[in-house]
Amino acid sequence: MSAVGGTRRPVTVVVPLYDDLKGIQQCVESVLDHVDLDFDRIILSNDRGPRHEEVEALVLRLIKGHPEVTYLSNDVNLGFVGNCNRVVLEYDTTGNDVLLLNSDTIVTAGFLDEMAEVLTLSPSHGVITARSNNATLASIPDRRRLPRQPRTIDHSARVHAAVVDLLPRYTIAPVAMGFCFLIRRDLIDRYGLFDEAFAPGYGEENDFCLRVNQRGYASVLANRALVFHTGSTSFSGDRGPRLRFGHEKLLIERYPFYVGALGYFYQRGRDPVDTFADAFDRGDDVIRLAIDLVQESTDAVLRDIEDFVHRLGRGVVVTLITPKEVLAQARELVPSALITAQSRVDSLYDVALALGPIYDLARLVRLNELAPRWILIDDGPARNSTWSQRVDYHRIEAVERIAQRFADRWIVIDDNEAAARAVIEVAEREIDPAHLRLRWTWLVDAGLASGILGYPLRPSRGRRLALWIGAKSPRASRFLRGVLNR
């Protein structure tokens, strides 16, 4: 009997096997530990890789004493798509919902009960995926305070534990991730499984999700389920990148709205607690501060910022985010801070500090994405005493009121010592999820209504060209990206 008392449907867990012996052992052991074999079924399908005999010997040893587990071996290599299709469409006749689980995963307690329960919460839930350390839009954390460092299993487990009770039970997404892919069986019966155009692999799960979404079924992240993904690859050399580029090109040709759907999800579909999850449990004693600059920054302002950085002390790492026109000037006059262009920001921060006055809604929208906490430093809100001034400056006043409403601190002072103390004090506060959600939603909606934010109906020509080049020559694609990013 299921751990949830039979309130969900039984599941057939299908694990396609290829060549990663260490990953296969970890995966199978974890599945045997955390799947109820009195209620669910497990099928392990060996796709005749280069070490298929070693894989078979390992798996048969691991499942010895578990007659409920089925082992299959293909006569020839079918590829991931063919292997999954064979098991699900030809072999499994149980009528169960189906979980496709990569062999480079490690499942955790309760993962399957939670995913299967989420699948039953709405008749429109078609595909469910778990959260993970390595699963693109299902990764937790997604944006990181240290983006160059990988999401380790320990890191993701710690962050997930910190925010799981703050997140909604599930989140609707454009697609579910194929590493852990629970499908409602009646969708398979009606629409089949993976399109062989995506053989041997990459992109097939996205195509399935978007295909059934066109018929009204949603892809869903089960936020309480956690499955680790080591991300080993089955394709050596350039073959994997060629397949990824080529299949993404095919995907956006079929579903040109997909690029825009991803943008909508990240800004409007996902809970902001998820967006800033890595700041809810920092995992270190360092405060990461972003200072947002404007184009009019003078040498005097930059020297003042250098003094401010020194007053913060070694426990605060400062990143100065500048317009490209100010980059060289900032590198020279603020050597104590990291310097990055506004167009290159790829991490999140514990606190964002904006030097006022803030006249521009676009700047507030940008600030919204930097950090869960804000500090604004200014001479104070505009004081327009005459009706002519109020009429002339009404937009500026409106932006200032919005900034003042959502700032964690508004400092009307030019005392660097006091400002440094404010940064430390604000950074040590607990993040208020309700305030964060209100701020995020309000500013994203304002950005959309004003045209500052928007989602393309189709991918750009540049992206299509990049995918075409990548499908032909991944090395040429990497070289071009390097040239363009210099």
Side-chain angles (χ1 to χ4, degrees):
M1 182 58 65
S2 165
V4 293
T7 61
R8 58 134 171 126
R9 296 185 295 271
V11 173
T12 296
V13 180
V14 176
V15 185
L17 309 174
Y18 184 64
D19 187 42
D20 176 20
L21 293 173
K22 180 181 178 181
I24 289 170
Q25 179 166 348
Q26 290 178 323
C27 176
V28 173
E29 288 177 342
S30 72
V31 168
L32 291 175
D33 285 342
H34 297 303
V35 172
D36 183 352
L37 293 176
D38 292 330
F39 188 71
D40 300 304
R41 184 182 185 192
I42 298 174
I43 302 176
L44 309 174
S45 181
N46 187 349
D47 196 26
R48 206 166 187 84
R51 295 188 290 176
H52 66 278
E53 292 178 350
E54 294 176 66
V55 170
E56 181 170 281
L58 170 65
V59 171
L60 291 177
R61 176 173 62 82
L62 292 172
I63 66 174
K64 186 177 180 179
H66 294 283
E68 313 91 339
V69 179
T70 300
Y71 170 76
L72 303 176
S73 181
N74 296 332
D75 294 332
V76 296
N77 178 258
L78 300 176
F80 182 83
V81 167
N83 194 13
C84 292
N85 283 348
R86 176 192 176 232
V87 176
V88 175
L89 301 178
E90 299 176 20
Y91 187 84
D92 181 29
T93 59
T94 62
N96 292 351
D97 295 332
V98 175
L99 174 70
L100 297 175
L101 184 70
N102 280 16
S103 62
D104 56 356
T105 58
I106 302 172
V107 303
T108 64
F111 87 103
L112 186 55
D113 284 330
E114 180 61 20
M115 292 178 68
E117 280 281 289
V118 170
L119 187 64
T120 67
L121 291 180
S122 169
S124 68
H125 288 184
V127 187
I128 311 295
T129 198
R131 304 306 300 268
S132 182
N133 61 305
N134 179 20
T136 58
L137 60 75
S139 296
I140 189 160
D142 179 18
R143 291 179 61 202
R144 285 160 286 163
R145 297 167 67 247
L146 297 170
R148 301 294 179 267
Q149 292 188 2
R151 299 178 198 87
T152 64
I153 287 175
D154 289 343
H155 180 200
S156 288
R158 189 189 74 244
V159 173
H160 184 260
V163 300
V164 65
D165 292 334
L166 302 175
L167 293 174
R169 188 173 184 184
Y170 64 85
T171 302
I172 303 297
V175 294
M177 297 296 100
F179 80 106
C180 183
F181 198 73
L182 176 62
I183 315 165
R184 188 183 290 273
R185 184 74 210 203
D186 59 355
L187 293 189
I188 298 171
D189 294 339
R190 277 180 281 170
Y191 308 120
L193 189 55
F194 294 144
D195 189 333
E196 292 287 346
F198 291 88
Y202 291 128
E204 70 285 336
E205 78 278 27
N206 293 339
D207 174 74
F208 180 85
C209 290
L210 294 170
R211 180 167 18 116
V212 299
N213 181 247
Q214 299 288 68
R215 294 165 171 85
Y217 294 94
S219 300
V220 183
L221 309 184
N223 291 324
R224 297 179 188 171
L226 188 61
V227 173
F228 301 116
H229 183 208
T230 62
S232 61
T233 179
S234 301
F235 302 107
S236 59
D238 282 349
R239 190 184 182 204
R242 279 200 302 270
L243 287 170
R244 283 196 299 271
F245 284 124
H247 291 177
E248 184 179 348
K249 179 175 178 291
L250 174 59
L251 191 72
I252 64 175
E253 286 172 353
R254 289 185 174 184
Y255 312 101
F257 59 85
Y258 179 53
V259 175
L262 290 174
Y264 186 97
F265 167 75
Y266 281 114
Q267 289 182 329
R268 201 67 187 83
R270 185 172 64 171
D271 192 295
V273 170
D274 212 338
T275 300
F276 293 108
D278 207 20
F280 277 79
D281 185 340
R282 300 203 305 254
D284 57 37
D285 295 326
V286 176
I287 296 169
R288 301 194 181 275
L289 172 68
I291 301 178
D292 183 63
L293 284 185
V294 293
Q295 288 179 328
E296 297 79 13
S297 299
T298 63
D299 286 1
V301 168
L302 291 170
R303 290 192 183 97
D304 193 47
I305 290 173
E306 174 70 6
D307 175 72
F308 172 63
V309 173
H310 278 289
R311 293 174 187 271
L312 287 167
R314 295 183 178 179
V316 182
V317 174
V318 178
T319 299
L320 202 56
I321 299 173
T322 76
K324 62 181 180 180
E325 297 86 351
V326 187
L327 275 173
Q329 184 185 11
R331 288 180 178 133
E332 178 184 354
L333 297 176
V334 194
S336 301
L338 304 172
I339 310 295
T340 188
Q342 289 169 353
S343 59
R344 299 273 182 93
V345 177
D346 61 353
S347 61
L348 63 85
Y349 303 89
D350 300 308
V351 181
L353 186 151
L355 303 178
I358 296 180
Y359 297 151
D360 185 2
L361 181 61
R363 191 178 180 204
L364 277 186
V365 171
R366 183 173 71 246
L367 200 65
N368 191 39
E369 297 184 348
L370 290 178
R373 309 172 184 91
W374 286 0
I375 297 175
L376 306 182
I377 298 181
D378 194 4
D379 294 331
R383 299 288 187 265
N384 298 318
S385 59
T386 67
W387 284 110
S388 63
Q389 289 175 315
R390 290 174 178 173
V391 170
D392 196 15
Y393 292 101
H394 68 279
R395 288 189 178 87
I396 293 173
E397 287 183 325
V399 172
E400 283 191 325
R401 284 193 295 271
I402 296 168
Q404 192 172 21
R405 176 183 183 184
F406 292 116
D408 293 84
R409 286 286 294 275
W410 181 298
I411 303 175
V412 186
I413 196 169
D414 59 1
D415 181 342
N416 281 343
E417 193 66 41
R421 289 195 301 270
V423 167
I424 305 298
E425 186 271 326
V426 168
E428 296 301 333
R429 290 182 192 171
E430 285 191 7
I431 300 168
D432 180 351
H435 176 78
L436 178 61
R437 289 186 179 106
L438 181 64
R439 187 197 86 190
W440 181 270
T441 303
W442 207 100
L443 283 166
V444 168
D445 283 348
L448 292 171
S450 64
I452 295 168
L453 300 175
Y455 313 115
L457 293 175
R458 58 187 57 83
S460 66
R461 291 182 179 178
R463 180 163 187 155
R464 295 198 301 272
L465 177 61
L467 292 173
W468 180 84
I469 295 172
K472 299 293 184 182
S473 173
R475 294 180 185 179
S477 178
R478 286 193 293 269
F479 172 77
L480 287 174
R481 287 201 304 271
V483 170
L484 292 172
N485 287 334
R486 285 176 188 168

